[in-house]
Amino acid sequence: MKNILRIARIELSLLFYSPVAWIVLLVFIIQSGWGYMSTLERLEQAQQMGMNLSGLTDNVFAGFKSLFPKMQEYLYLYIPLLTMGLISRETHSGSIKLLYSSPIRVFDIVAGKYLAMITYCFLLMCILLGLGVLSIYTIKDVDFTFILSGIIGLYLLICAYSAVGLFMSSLTSYQVVAAISTLVVLAVLNFIGGLWQDIEFVRDITYFLSISGRAEESINGLLGSNDVLYFLIVITMFLGLTFLKLQFERRTISLSLKAGGYTGLIALMLLIGYIGSLPQYIFYIDMTADQTRTLTKPSRDVIAKINEPVVMTTYVNLLDENYFMGMPIFQNNDKKSFDKYFRFMPYMRMDYVYYWDHSENERLYKENPGLTDEQLARKMAKINGMDFDKFQRPEQIRRIIDLKPERNRLVRTLSYKGKKVFLRMFDDIMKYPSEKETSAALKKLITESPKVGFATGHRERDITRTGDNDYEVSTNEIAFRYSLLNQGFDIRSVSLAGPGLRKQVDVLVIADPLTAYTPGELTNLAGYINEGGNLLIAGEPGSQAILNPVLSLAGVEMGDGMLVQKSRNFEPSFVLSGLATKNWLQIAGNAEYLNKDSAFVTTPTVAPLKVLPNSPFRELPILVTQAANTWLNPDLRVDKTKELTDVRKNEDKKSYPVALALRRAIPRGEQRIFVIADADFMNNAESRRRTPRSINFAFVTELFKWFSDGEFPIDTTRPEPQDNRILMNSTQLTWIRWAWMGILPSLIALSVSWTLIARKRR
């Protein structure tokens, strides 16, 4: 050990007596300071402009183009300058022979020189640690363990780079050649992960060998044993190769034994790496303050009830616009998107099935007019360099699974104990299912989905049509992640004409019938209510005569006329209804994101509601109109071809309830009925509306969560980050910038210059 420390001390003295180490140190200080201060100043400017900031630790240290990702890009440039002379200098000067003839072991030489390098690397990381400490004074409630996680990842990365540089320095007596060779090897390690990903046997090997992105998880606050083990393997392997290289030079050994030694070491490291990368042997440490890199407790509770392996099968249609996300070349990245689940379900298996069939990819058919599906599929297979015969034909895939209801899109199935559910891709910027959708699909494997039945037979709102007034988007659209179908509900159509409604559905929805229900249907509905069935009734102004007999069964009545509001942007009949937050919080499990300033639910063409005397239910007004801006026009009729008559007077302004939650205790728990005097609040048009303060979709989602007693959708909300404010103003940040990037480097440069000059004089 003494020899190792002595060699490390000598190597460090040589390093710091040369200008290279100091130049690298100064450049590192300036680059890190520039990246840190630029991000911080930009966020401080946004704060001055009134923007609400959140998650500042992540934004400053791990966000796009922030400190740690930028420094990660630069690290490989520093190492060749520092390692190029570690052994090549000894070889070039001939002093290596003196070391060989001395009682110092080859192991001591390698360990001592590498210890010197990782000591210098630790000094570089201390600079980043200094910025982390500085953040305690610049960012409110900074997540310091998050910063430590990133520094640990970067330190392991630069230590791995150093091991590579040490080995390359042992191969040549020319320092420049050693530096260039180090850059080449590091470039290969960074890019090898994208090579031969279409070859099944080679895919996992090259993906594992890639060093690119290995520090990203720790930069984002999650330390994984597989990434730590990877760095340790790279370090051990290249140090071992350096040891063997020097040992073989010291002794006369046959070429076959040398090749066997190198091959055996590499094979052993790869075997350890393969075993350590298996999901069942990986463990994680979430370094974030609020455990944001870990599944939420509701998701973990679902997984805890799964006691057998889940099989996730991805069906990839070559003609679908999302086909590339399931192609062999992207499979490892695809699997990585489910890492959070592999952490708790290490035995989950992912399979891929490839086929071709007609799709809704309009762009593909438009750009290739006249080609049949098979001709298009052959063309796509050729473009992607894949064997067309490996793709199932339409008739073959249909014998396995019917994907026509899924519109032959790229889709996954989750299978568990003979039960199978769909997990879909979506038509938004994210594409992949989030934790909310994935956990909902997993929960459907172990529990019965709430059955939501939409009444039919009287021209009610349709859950299969895409017209503005219908309900397909919010209920049944497979490509919309927030539809009830994708949030865990079983959506179906039901008729009130048949008996036994209570056995058919858990929630019954009656949405704007245009013709009156028969006495028999009303009797069946009354029986459903008396049996404690949950119910949602949505009406429209002008249909009071049709709907009030239904509403009376729940002890409610829809008043005559229509509510109107004065608005600069909308028609008078387009009403913005405010959320009665206090009442809503009594029924919503987690309504923090609904409790926004001036949030509203859009209720086009809405009427007032009133509770009938002796109602058996306890009512809570949920949506109410603004008293300062709402009038009742009793003579207004729903005729959108005519201009609305303004009959509003200031003395007639009033607040009206337009949505009521009704509750009563029953033997099995609580019966829940929701009545709203507007059927458009969840139609396709309102679901697509992008009004900034409109909360229609969140409102609908939480409403059905209330109906399902909190079972679905899965609540994956997290606490708001507390690091939400910059503690210094622009002037103070400017002083910090000059101190870090000007005064500190200048003091170091002057001290080094004085030391080197004094040493030269001696």
Side-chain angles (χ1 to χ4, degrees), residues 320-388:
D320 179 47
E321 63 179 349
N322 294 322
Y323 79 95
F324 62 91
M325 304 177 82
M327 296 298 280
I329 194 171
F330 291 109
Q331 271 189 25
N332 280 313
N333 288 327
D334 186 55
K335 292 176 180 177
K336 189 174 179 63
S337 64
F338 294 96
D339 274 355
K340 281 187 175 181
Y341 287 89
F342 276 111
R343 175 178 173 183
F344 297 97
M345 303 169 60
Y347 295 100
M348 183 172 71
R349 192 176 85 235
M350 292 187 69
D351 296 332
Y352 293 83
V353 176
Y354 298 95
Y355 74 102
W356 62 269
D357 202 348
H358 190 77
S359 73
E360 296 184 347
N361 190 354
E362 295 180 1
R363 180 186 59 80
L364 180 65
Y365 290 99
K366 184 178 180 181
E367 293 174 354
N368 298 274
L371 296 184
T372 64
D373 286 336
E374 181 170 351
Q375 290 171 331
L376 271 176
R378 289 184 179 277
K379 181 178 180 180
M380 294 295 292
K382 184 178 180 180
I383 290 172
N384 288 277
M386 294 191 67
D387 184 359
F388 178 74

Side-chain angles (χ1 to χ4, degrees), residues 94-109:
S95 59
I96 191 69
K97 296 179 180 179
L98 296 176
L99 290 173
Y100 286 159
S101 60
S102 68
I104 299 176
R105 299 174 301 172
V106 171
F107 175 82
D108 296 340
I109 298 172

Side-chain angles (χ1 to χ4, degrees), residues 76 182-192:
Y76 80 97
T182 302
L183 283 173
V184 170
V185 173
L186 294 180
V188 170
L189 286 175
N190 272 283
F191 293 109
I192 195 173

Side-chain angles (χ1 to χ4, degrees), residues 38 57 121 141 171 174 180 254 377 448 473 479 483 488 511 609 649 683 720 761-762:
S38 297
T57 309
C121 293
D141 294 327
L171 299 179
Y174 299 100
I180 295 174
S254 65
E448 288 296 323
V473 171
S483 68
L609 289 174
K649 299 178 181 179
N683 69 13
E720 284 293 322
R761 286 177 178 176
R762 289 197 300 267

Side-chain angles (χ1 to χ4, degrees), residues 26 29-30 33-34 37 41 131 134 731-748:
L26 292 175
I29 291 174
I30 293 172
W34 183 274
M37 294 307 303
E41 288 170 346
L131 291 173
L134 180 61
T731 303
Q732 293 169 321
L733 291 178
T734 301
W735 278 106
I736 294 175
R737 173 188 282 273
W738 281 109
W740 187 272
M741 299 174 57
I743 298 174
L744 180 60
S746 298
L747 291 175
I748 293 175

Side-chain angles (χ1 to χ4, degrees), residues 642-687:
K642 297 180 180 179
E643 186 176 352
L644 297 174
T645 304
D646 191 349
V647 296
R648 298 167 292 187
K649 299 178 181 179
N650 286 334
E651 58 269 22
D652 295 332
K653 290 186 297 184
K654 185 180 176 183
S655 176
Y656 295 89
V658 296
L660 300 172
L662 309 175
R663 314 165 75 179
R664 70 174 174 181
I666 57 176
R668 62 178 181 83
E670 182 180 69
Q671 182 179 15
R672 298 170 178 182
I673 297 177
F674 187 82
V675 179
I676 182 168
D678 168 65
D680 292 326
F681 78 106
M682 60 179 288
N683 69 13
N684 295 335
E686 294 310 304
S687 296

Side-chain angles (χ1 to χ4, degrees), residues 577-588 591 594-596 599-601 620-625 655-661 674 695 699:
S577 297
L579 185 70
T581 306
K582 184 177 179 180
N583 292 341
W584 178 248
L585 288 174
Q586 292 187 43
I587 68 172
L594 296 178
N595 189 17
K596 300 186 293 184
F600 55 77
V601 174
L620 286 174
I622 299 299
L623 294 179
V624 293
T625 61
S655 176
Y656 295 89
V658 296
L660 300 172
F674 187 82
I695 58 171
F699 179 77

